[in-house]
Amino acid sequence: MTVNRQAAARGALALGALGVVFGDIGTSPLYTIQTVFNPGDPHPVPVSTENVFGVVSLVFWSVTIIVTVTYVLLVMRADNDGEGGILALITLISRRGAPGGRRTKLVLAVLGIFGASLFFGDSVITPAISVLSAIEGVKVAAPSVASLVIPITAVIILGLFLLQRIGTGAVGRLFGPVMAVWFTTIGVIGVSGIAKHPGILKALSPSYALGFLFGHFAVAFFSLAAVVLAVTGAEALYADMGHFGRAPITRVWLLFVFPACILSYLGQGALILSDPRHAIASPFFLLVPGWARLPMVFLAAAATVIASQAVISGAFSVTQQASQLGYLPRLRIAHTSEEQAGQIYVPWINWALLISVLTLVVTFKSSTALAYAFGMAVTGTITITTLLYFYVALRLWHRPRWLVATGAAFLLGVDLLFFAANLTKLVHGAWLPLLIGIVVFTIMTTWQKGRELVTRLRRRDEGPLQGFIDQLHTMRPPLQRVPGTAVFLNRGKETAPLALRANVEHNHVLHEYVLVLSIMTVPVPHVPVAERLTVDPLGHKDDRVTHVTARYGYMDQMNVPALLPLIREADIESPLQESDVSYFLSTIALRLGTTPGMSQWRKRLFLATAQITADAAEHFRLPRERTVIMGSRIEL
């Protein structure tokens, strides 16, 4: 029975990974080969037998090198307590005590933040290009309604984003089976194409990829900007590793997804060899038998919605992690599942993505036009991830320098070749993800810098906490103590909370028991409950003032009232009856000033970004009826 349960658990994980992780990369066959041979490309690839073999071979070996070797075999070994993604690499490198020079680690962290910023560009483009490419199938299946491609795409995207608030729990159970049908179908259809022209299997030999790349470099180099579309979604394998584990993702990729995608690419190549004039218009859908094309459009639409859902959920997760690490303001986050803490909904990001995606659909109007923009975000993120991985391998794992240098030279050489090819599409749309990445990067670094400046000014106004506690004994008349326990949220142990200082200096009262609570986010995904709290008494025992530090990982959910039982177990000087606990928050009204440390335009950007900060009481799950908010003013 135990063996059966373990097998069932592994099967459930594999099916879940199939639905969530591989949606993006699994829908790439819809548009990759079509984009390579698109006659409207500014650098078109002529359709010839030699070029078809070369392109299909390049696709196969690109997927093998970038996805299978770089991500599955190498990068996914670099986990941060089980969590993956580019932010996990940043925390591994930046963690205190990790080897490496401070300046080098800072540069790599900045590069990593830019890579995470590019992911937001990917999050905008993926829903637009995926859904568009699927609905464009009606041009083949039902040409009479071809004019409705844009409206249908817009309606599907609108519905997708409107449903985010409900959560993906119920729908998520359908993702795996749908994607299983999708991969099985594209694999079978690919085999049918190969059967008509089995010679296409020769493209699996690296000699065709190398011959095309070095024998026709002028053509092959420009084709790489479209070939890279075959690896879009590779980052999802790494980013979602914490949800499913490395082993299930690896098994599903090697045994099911990789073969299905390659069979589809080979089948499309075979079709173009058989009918080069007509097949390049839509090789994916033309490979499907006529009677099955309309059902295939519906299946493709479902698969692309799943692919879009995965990247939207990824944007929510990256936003949460960036906020926890101090690179974005605290945003309102809704948890859409009682069972799965990782299922979250971030309204502000959701609506920003919706507006951006609809704008792209209306502006670019076709998947091939969007394809020029797509590759830049993908290659940028992959290149940065590969670079960070090899730094971890060298400095943290102490791998032989010659081995790291050899691997880095080869894999980064491949990545940079793709990146250079995408730079040629800069004026044709590749500027878009770069612009989105630069804007998000500027916001994230400005917020981090602004937080540091505000913290410095706030510490000046707050004054030392221990000194403030010592002054309580010298106050005349003596300070009145009122029944109950007051919890003052504060940023650390060194300074006095502004709300505490205001309560004493203006109201001349203090609760019988006082807890100064500091919430600390540490650069690990999760902190065990047993290691959550550190308790430090302050002042004299009769003061009944205690400082508590609560540590959370950047993937943990913060809930201050849920800490009360843990604090009670620490045997502090407080009965901590929940009905007698009051919570005090210190708020800061920020104003533009002349304080040195930031340029004026960045101060304005910081103040504008601060406007979307979520309510602190809601963020920390504080009960409204027992929460007091007291404020002060700081000029930057």
Side-chain angles (χ1 to χ4, degrees), residues 167-187:
T168 60
V171 181
R173 287 190 288 271
L174 298 175
F175 283 5
V178 171
M179 293 309 294
V181 173
W182 167 257
F183 286 116
T184 301
T185 303
I186 67 173

mmCIF file with all atom_site columns, all heavy atoms in Angstrom, residues 167-187:
data_model
loop_
_atom_site.group_PDB
_atom_site.id
_atom_site.type_symbol
_atom_site.label_atom_id
_atom_site.label_alt_id
_atom_site.label_comp_id
_atom_site.label_asym_id
_atom_site.label_entity_id
_atom_site.label_seq_id
_atom_site.pdbx_PDB_ins_code
_atom_site.Cartn_x
_atom_site.Cartn_y
_atom_site.Cartn_z
_atom_site.occupancy
_atom_site.B_iso_or_equiv
_atom_site.pdbx_formal_charge
_atom_site.auth_seq_id
_atom_site.auth_comp_id
_atom_site.auth_asym_id
_atom_site.auth_atom_id
_atom_site.pdbx_PDB_model_num
ATOM 1   N N   . GLY A 1 167 ? -9.252  32.605 -8.217  1.00 0.00 ? 167 GLY A N   1
ATOM 2   C CA  . GLY A 1 167 ? -8.185  31.664 -7.905  1.00 0.00 ? 167 GLY A CA  1
ATOM 3   C C   . GLY A 1 167 ? -8.183  30.513 -8.877  1.00 0.00 ? 167 GLY A C   1
ATOM 4   O O   . GLY A 1 167 ? -9.165  30.239 -9.569  1.00 0.00 ? 167 GLY A O   1
ATOM 5   N N   . THR A 1 168 ? -7.062  29.816 -8.933  1.00 0.00 ? 168 THR A N   1
ATOM 6   C CA  . THR A 1 168 ? -6.885  28.746 -9.911  1.00 0.00 ? 168 THR A CA  1
ATOM 7   C C   . THR A 1 168 ? -7.007  27.355 -9.303  1.00 0.00 ? 168 THR A C   1
ATOM 8   O O   . THR A 1 168 ? -6.690  26.369 -9.939  1.00 0.00 ? 168 THR A O   1
ATOM 9   C CB  . THR A 1 168 ? -5.492  28.864 -10.570 1.00 0.00 ? 168 THR A CB  1
ATOM 10  O OG1 . THR A 1 168 ? -4.500  28.758 -9.545  1.00 0.00 ? 168 THR A OG1 1
ATOM 11  C CG2 . THR A 1 168 ? -5.342  30.181 -11.290 1.00 0.00 ? 168 THR A CG2 1
ATOM 12  N N   . GLY A 1 169 ? -7.481  27.274 -8.056  1.00 0.00 ? 169 GLY A N   1
ATOM 13  C CA  . GLY A 1 169 ? -7.547  25.974 -7.400  1.00 0.00 ? 169 GLY A CA  1
ATOM 14  C C   . GLY A 1 169 ? -8.411  24.973 -8.144  1.00 0.00 ? 169 GLY A C   1
ATOM 15  O O   . GLY A 1 169 ? -7.964  23.884 -8.495  1.00 0.00 ? 169 GLY A O   1
ATOM 16  N N   . ALA A 1 170 ? -9.691  25.350 -8.398  1.00 0.00 ? 170 ALA A N   1
ATOM 17  C CA  . ALA A 1 170 ? -10.605 24.417 -9.068  1.00 0.00 ? 170 ALA A CA  1
ATOM 18  C C   . ALA A 1 170 ? -10.199 24.196 -10.515 1.00 0.00 ? 170 ALA A C   1
ATOM 19  O O   . ALA A 1 170 ? -10.189 23.067 -11.019 1.00 0.00 ? 170 ALA A O   1
ATOM 20  C CB  . ALA A 1 170 ? -12.027 24.960 -8.993  1.00 0.00 ? 170 ALA A CB  1
ATOM 21  N N   . VAL A 1 171 ? -9.839  25.307 -11.201 1.00 0.00 ? 171 VAL A N   1
ATOM 22  C CA  . VAL A 1 171 ? -9.449  25.185 -12.605 1.00 0.00 ? 171 VAL A CA  1
ATOM 23  C C   . VAL A 1 171 ? -8.134  24.433 -12.735 1.00 0.00 ? 171 VAL A C   1
ATOM 24  O O   . VAL A 1 171 ? -7.910  23.690 -13.694 1.00 0.00 ? 171 VAL A O   1
ATOM 25  C CB  . VAL A 1 171 ? -9.329  26.589 -13.247 1.00 0.00 ? 171 VAL A CB  1
ATOM 26  C CG1 . VAL A 1 171 ? -8.941  26.483 -14.718 1.00 0.00 ? 171 VAL A CG1 1
ATOM 27  C CG2 . VAL A 1 171 ? -10.646 27.340 -13.124 1.00 0.00 ? 171 VAL A CG2 1
ATOM 28  N N   . GLY A 1 172 ? -7.262  24.612 -11.734 1.00 0.00 ? 172 GLY A N   1
ATOM 29  C CA  . GLY A 1 172 ? -5.937  23.987 -11.795 1.00 0.00 ? 172 GLY A CA  1
ATOM 30  C C   . GLY A 1 172 ? -5.975  22.476 -11.899 1.00 0.00 ? 172 GLY A C   1
ATOM 31  O O   . GLY A 1 172 ? -5.091  21.868 -12.501 1.00 0.00 ? 172 GLY A O   1
ATOM 32  N N   . ARG A 1 173 ? -7.023  21.854 -11.323 1.00 0.00 ? 173 ARG A N   1
ATOM 33  C CA  . ARG A 1 173 ? -7.121  20.399 -11.403 1.00 0.00 ? 173 ARG A CA  1
ATOM 34  C C   . ARG A 1 173 ? -7.370  19.915 -12.826 1.00 0.00 ? 173 ARG A C   1
ATOM 35  O O   . ARG A 1 173 ? -7.137  18.749 -13.148 1.00 0.00 ? 173 ARG A O   1
ATOM 36  C CB  . ARG A 1 173 ? -8.228  19.911 -10.469 1.00 0.00 ? 173 ARG A CB  1
ATOM 37  C CG  . ARG A 1 173 ? -7.847  19.995 -8.993  1.00 0.00 ? 173 ARG A CG  1
ATOM 38  C CD  . ARG A 1 173 ? -8.866  19.281 -8.125  1.00 0.00 ? 173 ARG A CD  1
ATOM 39  N NE  . ARG A 1 173 ? -10.123 20.008 -8.041  1.00 0.00 ? 173 ARG A NE  1
ATOM 40  C CZ  . ARG A 1 173 ? -10.381 20.937 -7.122  1.00 0.00 ? 173 ARG A CZ  1
ATOM 41  N NH1 . ARG A 1 173 ? -9.446  21.259 -6.241  1.00 0.00 ? 173 ARG A NH1 1
ATOM 42  N NH2 . ARG A 1 173 ? -11.535 21.551 -7.086  1.00 0.00 ? 173 ARG A NH2 1
ATOM 43  N N   . LEU A 1 174 ? -7.860  20.831 -13.680 1.00 0.00 ? 174 LEU A N   1
ATOM 44  C CA  . LEU A 1 174 ? -8.101  20.467 -15.079 1.00 0.00 ? 174 LEU A CA  1
ATOM 45  C C   . LEU A 1 174 ? -6.875  20.703 -15.949 1.00 0.00 ? 174 LEU A C   1
ATOM 46  O O   . LEU A 1 174 ? -6.802  20.202 -17.067 1.00 0.00 ? 174 LEU A O   1
ATOM 47  C CB  . LEU A 1 174 ? -9.280  21.276 -15.641 1.00 0.00 ? 174 LEU A CB  1
ATOM 48  C CG  . LEU A 1 174 ? -10.637 21.063 -14.962 1.00 0.00 ? 174 LEU A CG  1
ATOM 49  C CD1 . LEU A 1 174 ? -11.664 22.032 -15.543 1.00 0.00 ? 174 LEU A CD1 1
ATOM 50  C CD2 . LEU A 1 174 ? -11.099 19.632 -15.151 1.00 0.00 ? 174 LEU A CD2 1
ATOM 51  N N   . PHE A 1 175 ? -5.921  21.503 -15.445 1.00 0.00 ? 175 PHE A N   1
ATOM 52  C CA  . PHE A 1 175 ? -4.780  21.895 -16.271 1.00 0.00 ? 175 PHE A CA  1
ATOM 53  C C   . PHE A 1 175 ? -3.971  20.684 -16.733 1.00 0.00 ? 175 PHE A C   1
ATOM 54  O O   . PHE A 1 175 ? -3.614  20.574 -17.900 1.00 0.00 ? 175 PHE A O   1
ATOM 55  C CB  . PHE A 1 175 ? -3.868  22.848 -15.487 1.00 0.00 ? 175 PHE A CB  1
ATOM 56  C CG  . PHE A 1 175 ? -4.396  24.254 -15.392 1.00 0.00 ? 175 PHE A CG  1
ATOM 57  C CD1 . PHE A 1 175 ? -5.649  24.576 -15.888 1.00 0.00 ? 175 PHE A CD1 1
ATOM 58  C CD2 . PHE A 1 175 ? -3.632  25.249 -14.807 1.00 0.00 ? 175 PHE A CD2 1
ATOM 59  C CE1 . PHE A 1 175 ? -6.132  25.871 -15.795 1.00 0.00 ? 175 PHE A CE1 1
ATOM 60  C CE2 . PHE A 1 175 ? -4.103  26.552 -14.713 1.00 0.00 ? 175 PHE A CE2 1
ATOM 61  C CZ  . PHE A 1 175 ? -5.362  26.859 -15.205 1.00 0.00 ? 175 PHE A CZ  1
ATOM 62  N N   . GLY A 1 176 ? -3.661  19.787 -15.773 1.00 0.00 ? 176 GLY A N   1
ATOM 63  C CA  . GLY A 1 176 ? -2.834  18.629 -16.114 1.00 0.00 ? 176 GLY A CA  1
ATOM 64  C C   . GLY A 1 176 ? -3.437  17.768 -17.203 1.00 0.00 ? 176 GLY A C   1
ATOM 65  O O   . GLY A 1 176 ? -2.783  17.500 -18.224 1.00 0.00 ? 176 GLY A O   1
ATOM 66  N N   . PRO A 1 177 ? -4.704  17.311 -17.050 1.00 0.00 ? 177 PRO A N   1
ATOM 67  C CA  . PRO A 1 177 ? -5.312  16.492 -18.107 1.00 0.00 ? 177 PRO A CA  1
ATOM 68  C C   . PRO A 1 177 ? -5.396  17.193 -19.455 1.00 0.00 ? 177 PRO A C   1
ATOM 69  O O   . PRO A 1 177 ? -5.175  16.568 -20.496 1.00 0.00 ? 177 PRO A O   1
ATOM 70  C CB  . PRO A 1 177 ? -6.713  16.201 -17.543 1.00 0.00 ? 177 PRO A CB  1
ATOM 71  C CG  . PRO A 1 177 ? -6.547  16.275 -16.064 1.00 0.00 ? 177 PRO A CG  1
ATOM 72  C CD  . PRO A 1 177 ? -5.534  17.341 -15.830 1.00 0.00 ? 177 PRO A CD  1
ATOM 73  N N   . VAL A 1 178 ? -5.716  18.493 -19.440 1.00 0.00 ? 178 VAL A N   1
ATOM 74  C CA  . VAL A 1 178 ? -5.799  19.235 -20.713 1.00 0.00 ? 178 VAL A CA  1
ATOM 75  C C   . VAL A 1 178 ? -4.439  19.260 -21.399 1.00 0.00 ? 178 VAL A C   1
ATOM 76  O O   . VAL A 1 178 ? -4.325  19.018 -22.616 1.00 0.00 ? 178 VAL A O   1
ATOM 77  C CB  . VAL A 1 178 ? -6.317  20.668 -20.484 1.00 0.00 ? 178 VAL A CB  1
ATOM 78  C CG1 . VAL A 1 178 ? -6.179  21.498 -21.765 1.00 0.00 ? 178 VAL A CG1 1
ATOM 79  C CG2 . VAL A 1 178 ? -7.778  20.651 -20.047 1.00 0.00 ? 178 VAL A CG2 1
ATOM 80  N N   . MET A 1 179 ? -3.391  19.535 -20.616 1.00 0.00 ? 179 MET A N   1
ATOM 81  C CA  . MET A 1 179 ? -2.062  19.591 -21.222 1.00 0.00 ? 179 MET A CA  1
ATOM 82  C C   . MET A 1 179 ? -1.585  18.205 -21.633 1.00 0.00 ? 179 MET A C   1
ATOM 83  O O   . MET A 1 179 ? -0.822  18.064 -22.607 1.00 0.00 ? 179 MET A O   1
ATOM 84  C CB  . MET A 1 179 ? -1.057  20.230 -20.251 1.00 0.00 ? 179 MET A CB  1
ATOM 85  C CG  . MET A 1 179 ? -1.311  21.713 -19.980 1.00 0.00 ? 179 MET A CG  1
ATOM 86  S SD  . MET A 1 179 ? -1.502  22.721 -21.478 1.00 0.00 ? 179 MET A SD  1
ATOM 87  C CE  . MET A 1 179 ? 0.135   22.611 -22.188 1.00 0.00 ? 179 MET A CE  1
ATOM 88  N N   . ALA A 1 180 ? -2.025  17.175 -20.928 1.00 0.00 ? 180 ALA A N   1
ATOM 89  C CA  . ALA A 1 180 ? -1.692  15.800 -21.346 1.00 0.00 ? 180 ALA A CA  1
ATOM 90  C C   . ALA A 1 180 ? -2.291  15.506 -22.715 1.00 0.00 ? 180 ALA A C   1
ATOM 91  O O   . ALA A 1 180 ? -1.631  14.929 -23.590 1.00 0.00 ? 180 ALA A O   1
ATOM 92  C CB  . ALA A 1 180 ? -2.197  14.796 -20.313 1.00 0.00 ? 180 ALA A CB  1
ATOM 93  N N   . VAL A 1 181 ? -3.551  15.932 -22.910 1.00 0.00 ? 181 VAL A N   1
ATOM 94  C CA  . VAL A 1 181 ? -4.199  15.773 -24.223 1.00 0.00 ? 181 VAL A CA  1
ATOM 95  C C   . VAL A 1 181 ? -3.465  16.594 -25.273 1.00 0.00 ? 181 VAL A C   1
ATOM 96  O O   . VAL A 1 181 ? -3.239  16.137 -26.405 1.00 0.00 ? 181 VAL A O   1
ATOM 97  C CB  . VAL A 1 181 ? -5.688  16.178 -24.146 1.00 0.00 ? 181 VAL A CB  1
ATOM 98  C CG1 . VAL A 1 181 ? -6.317  16.186 -25.541 1.00 0.00 ? 181 VAL A CG1 1
ATOM 99  C CG2 . VAL A 1 181 ? -6.454  15.238 -23.224 1.00 0.00 ? 181 VAL A CG2 1
ATOM 100 N N   . TRP A 1 182 ? -3.061  17.801 -24.903 1.00 0.00 ? 182 TRP A N   1
ATOM 101 C CA  . TRP A 1 182 ? -2.368  18.695 -25.843 1.00 0.00 ? 182 TRP A CA  1
ATOM 102 C C   . TRP A 1 182 ? -1.062  18.074 -26.326 1.00 0.00 ? 182 TRP A C   1
ATOM 103 O O   . TRP A 1 182 ? -0.815  17.973 -27.532 1.00 0.00 ? 182 TRP A O   1
ATOM 104 C CB  . TRP A 1 182 ? -2.107  20.042 -25.172 1.00 0.00 ? 182 TRP A CB  1
ATOM 105 C CG  . TRP A 1 182 ? -1.148  20.930 -25.921 1.00 0.00 ? 182 TRP A CG  1
ATOM 106 C CD1 . TRP A 1 182 ? 0.172   21.160 -25.627 1.00 0.00 ? 182 TRP A CD1 1
ATOM 107 C CD2 . TRP A 1 182 ? -1.429  21.698 -27.094 1.00 0.00 ? 182 TRP A CD2 1
ATOM 108 N NE1 . TRP A 1 182 ? 0.731   22.022 -26.531 1.00 0.00 ? 182 TRP A NE1 1
ATOM 109 C CE2 . TRP A 1 182 ? -0.228  22.371 -27.455 1.00 0.00 ? 182 TRP A CE2 1
ATOM 110 C CE3 . TRP A 1 182 ? -2.560  21.887 -27.875 1.00 0.00 ? 182 TRP A CE3 1
ATOM 111 C CZ2 . TRP A 1 182 ? -0.142  23.218 -28.542 1.00 0.00 ? 182 TRP A CZ2 1
ATOM 112 C CZ3 . TRP A 1 182 ? -2.476  22.734 -28.978 1.00 0.00 ? 182 TRP A CZ3 1
ATOM 113 C CH2 . TRP A 1 182 ? -1.280  23.383 -29.308 1.00 0.00 ? 182 TRP A CH2 1
ATOM 114 N N   . PHE A 1 183 ? -0.226  17.648 -25.397 1.00 0.00 ? 183 PHE A N   1
ATOM 115 C CA  . PHE A 1 183 ? 1.077   17.105 -25.790 1.00 0.00 ? 183 PHE A CA  1
ATOM 116 C C   . PHE A 1 183 ? 0.926   15.797 -26.567 1.00 0.00 ? 183 PHE A C   1
ATOM 117 O O   . PHE A 1 183 ? 1.669   15.538 -27.517 1.00 0.00 ? 183 PHE A O   1
ATOM 118 C CB  . PHE A 1 183 ? 1.969   16.906 -24.560 1.00 0.00 ? 183 PHE A CB  1
ATOM 119 C CG  . PHE A 1 183 ? 2.508   18.196 -23.995 1.00 0.00 ? 183 PHE A CG  1
ATOM 120 C CD1 . PHE A 1 183 ? 2.154   18.616 -22.714 1.00 0.00 ? 183 PHE A CD1 1
ATOM 121 C CD2 . PHE A 1 183 ? 3.348   19.000 -24.745 1.00 0.00 ? 183 PHE A CD2 1
ATOM 122 C CE1 . PHE A 1 183 ? 2.640   19.805 -22.199 1.00 0.00 ? 183 PHE A CE1 1
ATOM 123 C CE2 . PHE A 1 183 ? 3.836   20.198 -24.236 1.00 0.00 ? 183 PHE A CE2 1
ATOM 124 C CZ  . PHE A 1 183 ? 3.481   20.601 -22.960 1.00 0.00 ? 183 PHE A CZ  1
ATOM 125 N N   . THR A 1 184 ? -0.040  14.976 -26.162 1.00 0.00 ? 184 THR A N   1
ATOM 126 C CA  . THR A 1 184 ? -0.280  13.736 -26.904 1.00 0.00 ? 184 THR A CA  1
ATOM 127 C C   . THR A 1 184 ? -0.718  14.046 -28.334 1.00 0.00 ? 184 THR A C   1
ATOM 128 O O   . THR A 1 184 ? -0.232  13.432 -29.298 1.00 0.00 ? 184 THR A O   1
ATOM 129 C CB  . THR A 1 184 ? -1.363  12.895 -26.208 1.00 0.00 ? 184 THR A CB  1
ATOM 130 O OG1 . THR A 1 184 ? -0.933  12.596 -24.870 1.00 0.00 ? 184 THR A OG1 1
ATOM 131 C CG2 . THR A 1 184 ? -1.604  11.598 -26.954 1.00 0.00 ? 184 THR A CG2 1
ATOM 132 N N   . THR A 1 185 ? -1.595  15.020 -28.464 1.00 0.00 ? 185 THR A N   1
ATOM 133 C CA  . THR A 1 185 ? -2.123  15.375 -29.786 1.00 0.00 ? 185 THR A CA  1
ATOM 134 C C   . THR A 1 185 ? -1.042  15.937 -30.702 1.00 0.00 ? 185 THR A C   1
ATOM 135 O O   . THR A 1 185 ? -0.910  15.516 -31.862 1.00 0.00 ? 185 THR A O   1
ATOM 136 C CB  . THR A 1 185 ? -3.269  16.395 -29.648 1.00 0.00 ? 185 THR A CB  1
ATOM 137 O OG1 . THR A 1 185 ? -4.292  15.852 -28.805 1.00 0.00 ? 185 THR A OG1 1
ATOM 138 C CG2 . THR A 1 185 ? -3.860  16.733 -31.008 1.00 0.00 ? 185 THR A CG2 1
ATOM 139 N N   . ILE A 1 186 ? -0.241  16.887 -30.202 1.00 0.00 ? 186 ILE A N   1
ATOM 140 C CA  . ILE A 1 186 ? 0.776   17.484 -31.087 1.00 0.00 ? 186 ILE A CA  1
ATOM 141 C C   . ILE A 1 186 ? 1.854   16.459 -31.434 1.00 0.00 ? 186 ILE A C   1
ATOM 142 O O   . ILE A 1 186 ? 2.436   16.507 -32.519 1.00 0.00 ? 186 ILE A O   1
ATOM 143 C CB  . ILE A 1 186 ? 1.405   18.760 -30.468 1.00 0.00 ? 186 ILE A CB  1
ATOM 144 C CG1 . ILE A 1 186 ? 2.237   18.446 -29.212 1.00 0.00 ? 186 ILE A CG1 1
ATOM 145 C CG2 . ILE A 1 186 ? 0.342   19.801 -30.174 1.00 0.00 ? 186 ILE A CG2 1
ATOM 146 C CD1 . ILE A 1 186 ? 3.014   19.647 -28.681 1.00 0.00 ? 186 ILE A CD1 1
ATOM 147 N N   . GLY A 1 187 ? 2.118   15.521 -30.500 1.00 0.00 ? 187 GLY A N   1
ATOM 148 C CA  . GLY A 1 187 ? 3.085   14.469 -30.806 1.00 0.00 ? 187 GLY A CA  1
ATOM 149 C C   . GLY A 1 187 ? 2.580   13.536 -31.892 1.00 0.00 ? 187 GLY A C   1
ATOM 150 O O   . GLY A 1 187 ? 3.309   13.207 -32.843 1.00 0.00 ? 187 GLY A O   1
#
